[in-house]
Tab-separated table of all heavy atoms in Angstrom:
chain	number	residue	atom	x	y	z
A	8	ASP	N	16.238	-17.408	-21.192
A	8	ASP	CA	16.036	-16.114	-20.524
A	8	ASP	C	14.586	-15.647	-20.565
A	8	ASP	O	14.056	-15.176	-19.569
A	8	ASP	CB	16.897	-15.027	-21.209
A	8	ASP	CG	18.298	-14.960	-20.628
A	8	ASP	OD1	18.503	-15.449	-19.495
A	8	ASP	OD2	19.183	-14.432	-21.327
A	13	ARG	N	5.435	-19.604	-15.794
A	13	ARG	CA	4.234	-19.362	-14.980
A	13	ARG	C	3.283	-18.479	-15.776
A	13	ARG	O	3.697	-17.472	-16.332
A	13	ARG	CB	4.600	-18.653	-13.681
A	13	ARG	CG	5.322	-19.527	-12.693
A	13	ARG	CD	5.660	-18.729	-11.448
A	13	ARG	NE	4.450	-18.258	-10.769
A	13	ARG	CZ	4.259	-17.010	-10.349
A	13	ARG	NH1	5.166	-16.098	-10.554
A	13	ARG	NH2	3.152	-16.689	-9.721
A	44	LYS	N	26.942	-7.850	-7.902
A	44	LYS	CA	25.680	-7.609	-7.219
A	44	LYS	C	24.685	-7.015	-8.211
A	44	LYS	O	25.063	-6.215	-9.074
A	44	LYS	CB	25.954	-6.608	-6.078
A	44	LYS	CG	24.947	-6.644	-4.966
A	44	LYS	CD	25.439	-5.840	-3.761
A	44	LYS	CE	24.265	-5.384	-2.921
A	44	LYS	NZ	24.702	-4.653	-1.720
A	45	SER	N	23.422	-7.406	-8.071
A	45	SER	CA	22.396	-7.025	-9.025
A	45	SER	C	21.612	-5.824	-8.501
A	45	SER	O	21.129	-5.839	-7.380
A	45	SER	CB	21.476	-8.232	-9.220
A	45	SER	OG	20.610	-8.044	-10.280
A	46	TYR	N	21.495	-4.784	-9.322
A	46	TYR	CA	20.783	-3.550	-8.963
A	46	TYR	C	19.644	-3.309	-9.949
A	46	TYR	O	19.679	-3.807	-11.073
A	46	TYR	CB	21.720	-2.342	-9.040
A	46	TYR	CG	22.837	-2.350	-8.024
A	46	TYR	CD1	23.978	-3.114	-8.220
A	46	TYR	CD2	22.761	-1.573	-6.866
A	46	TYR	CE1	25.008	-3.117	-7.291
A	46	TYR	CE2	23.784	-1.571	-5.935
A	46	TYR	CZ	24.907	-2.336	-6.153
A	46	TYR	OH	25.918	-2.338	-5.235
A	67	ASN	N	27.195	8.614	-14.387
A	67	ASN	CA	26.030	7.781	-14.047
A	67	ASN	C	26.435	6.319	-13.851
A	67	ASN	O	26.925	5.653	-14.763
A	67	ASN	CB	24.994	7.903	-15.169
A	67	ASN	CG	23.703	7.206	-14.828
A	67	ASN	OD1	23.686	6.000	-14.576
A	67	ASN	ND2	22.616	7.947	-14.796
A	93	ARG	N	-12.640	-13.862	-3.394
A	93	ARG	CA	-13.101	-14.293	-2.068
A	93	ARG	C	-11.981	-14.947	-1.288
A	93	ARG	O	-11.926	-14.865	-0.066
A	93	ARG	CB	-14.280	-15.246	-2.212
A	93	ARG	CG	-15.506	-14.618	-2.920
A	93	ARG	CD	-16.477	-15.694	-3.371
A	93	ARG	NE	-17.597	-15.162	-4.145
A	93	ARG	CZ	-17.592	-15.016	-5.474
A	93	ARG	NH1	-16.517	-15.365	-6.185
A	93	ARG	NH2	-18.663	-14.558	-6.098
A	140	ARG	N	15.016	22.643	-29.162
A	140	ARG	CA	16.387	22.893	-29.586
A	140	ARG	C	17.217	21.615	-29.438
A	140	ARG	O	17.249	21.003	-28.377
A	140	ARG	CB	17.004	24.015	-28.741
A	140	ARG	CG	18.485	24.244	-29.087
A	140	ARG	CD	19.154	25.337	-28.312
A	140	ARG	NE	19.292	25.107	-26.883
A	140	ARG	CZ	20.110	24.199	-26.328
A	140	ARG	NH1	20.829	23.371	-27.058
A	140	ARG	NH2	20.169	24.106	-25.009
B	8	ASP	N	25.811	1.799	-1.662
B	8	ASP	CA	24.686	1.305	-2.457
B	8	ASP	C	23.618	2.369	-2.679
B	8	ASP	O	23.106	2.530	-3.793
B	8	ASP	CB	24.016	0.111	-1.756
B	8	ASP	CG	24.686	-1.203	-2.114
B	8	ASP	OD1	25.378	-1.263	-3.146
B	8	ASP	OD2	24.531	-2.170	-1.347
B	13	ARG	N	23.628	11.839	-8.393
B	13	ARG	CA	23.001	12.713	-9.391
B	13	ARG	C	21.675	13.203	-8.830
B	13	ARG	O	20.891	12.422	-8.306
B	13	ARG	CB	22.732	11.952	-10.678
B	13	ARG	CG	23.987	11.666	-11.483
B	13	ARG	CD	23.619	10.873	-12.722
B	13	ARG	NE	22.779	11.653	-13.604
B	13	ARG	CZ	21.667	11.197	-14.188
B	13	ARG	NH1	21.258	9.972	-13.977
B	13	ARG	NH2	20.973	11.977	-14.990
B	44	LYS	N	24.278	-13.309	-13.993
B	44	LYS	CA	23.598	-12.378	-14.887
B	44	LYS	C	22.475	-11.691	-14.109
B	44	LYS	O	21.807	-12.318	-13.283
B	44	LYS	CB	23.026	-13.189	-16.060
B	44	LYS	CG	22.777	-12.397	-17.306
B	44	LYS	CD	22.456	-13.318	-18.476
B	44	LYS	CE	21.656	-12.559	-19.526
B	44	LYS	NZ	21.406	-13.372	-20.722
B	45	SER	N	22.274	-10.411	-14.411
B	45	SER	CA	21.317	-9.600	-13.660
B	45	SER	C	19.983	-9.514	-14.402
B	45	SER	O	19.945	-9.181	-15.578
B	45	SER	CB	21.932	-8.203	-13.497
B	45	SER	OG	21.196	-7.447	-12.590
B	46	TYR	N	18.901	-9.833	-13.702
B	46	TYR	CA	17.549	-9.821	-14.273
B	46	TYR	C	16.677	-8.846	-13.499
B	46	TYR	O	16.952	-8.550	-12.342
B	46	TYR	CB	16.903	-11.215	-14.177
B	46	TYR	CG	17.567	-12.276	-15.011
B	46	TYR	CD1	18.737	-12.884	-14.575
B	46	TYR	CD2	17.029	-12.678	-16.215
B	46	TYR	CE1	19.352	-13.872	-15.339
B	46	TYR	CE2	17.625	-13.663	-16.982
B	46	TYR	CZ	18.782	-14.264	-16.537
B	46	TYR	OH	19.380	-15.232	-17.297
B	67	ASN	N	8.969	-20.691	-9.069
B	67	ASN	CA	9.219	-19.317	-9.512
B	67	ASN	C	10.716	-19.002	-9.520
B	67	ASN	O	11.389	-19.021	-8.495
B	67	ASN	CB	8.480	-18.351	-8.583
B	67	ASN	CG	8.561	-16.909	-9.049
B	67	ASN	OD1	9.640	-16.364	-9.173
B	67	ASN	ND2	7.426	-16.311	-9.330
B	93	ARG	N	12.249	23.877	-23.863
B	93	ARG	CA	12.605	24.361	-25.203
B	93	ARG	C	13.818	23.602	-25.735
B	93	ARG	O	13.959	23.393	-26.926
B	93	ARG	CB	12.883	25.861	-25.143
B	93	ARG	CG	11.668	26.690	-24.700
B	93	ARG	CD	12.094	28.089	-24.315
B	93	ARG	NE	11.010	28.896	-23.771
B	93	ARG	CZ	10.705	28.956	-22.470
B	93	ARG	NH1	11.390	28.236	-21.589
B	93	ARG	NH2	9.714	29.722	-22.053
B	140	ARG	N	-11.103	-15.240	2.364
B	140	ARG	CA	-10.754	-16.537	2.962
B	140	ARG	C	-9.233	-16.665	3.068
B	140	ARG	O	-8.530	-16.490	2.069
B	140	ARG	CB	-11.330	-17.677	2.125
B	140	ARG	CG	-10.904	-19.048	2.649
B	140	ARG	CD	-11.444	-20.216	1.870
B	140	ARG	NE	-10.941	-20.353	0.510
B	140	ARG	CZ	-9.699	-20.690	0.178
B	140	ARG	NH1	-8.776	-20.903	1.105
B	140	ARG	NH2	-9.358	-20.806	-1.098
Side-chain angles (χ1 to χ4, degrees):
Chain A
D8 273 340
R13 288 179 63 228
K44 203 168 156 178
S45 190
Y46 294 80
N67 186 301
R93 299 164 185 90
R140 176 179 66 69
Chain B
D8 273 339
R13 287 179 64 226
K44 203 169 156 176
S45 191
Y46 294 79
N67 186 301
R93 298 165 185 90
R140 176 180 67 69

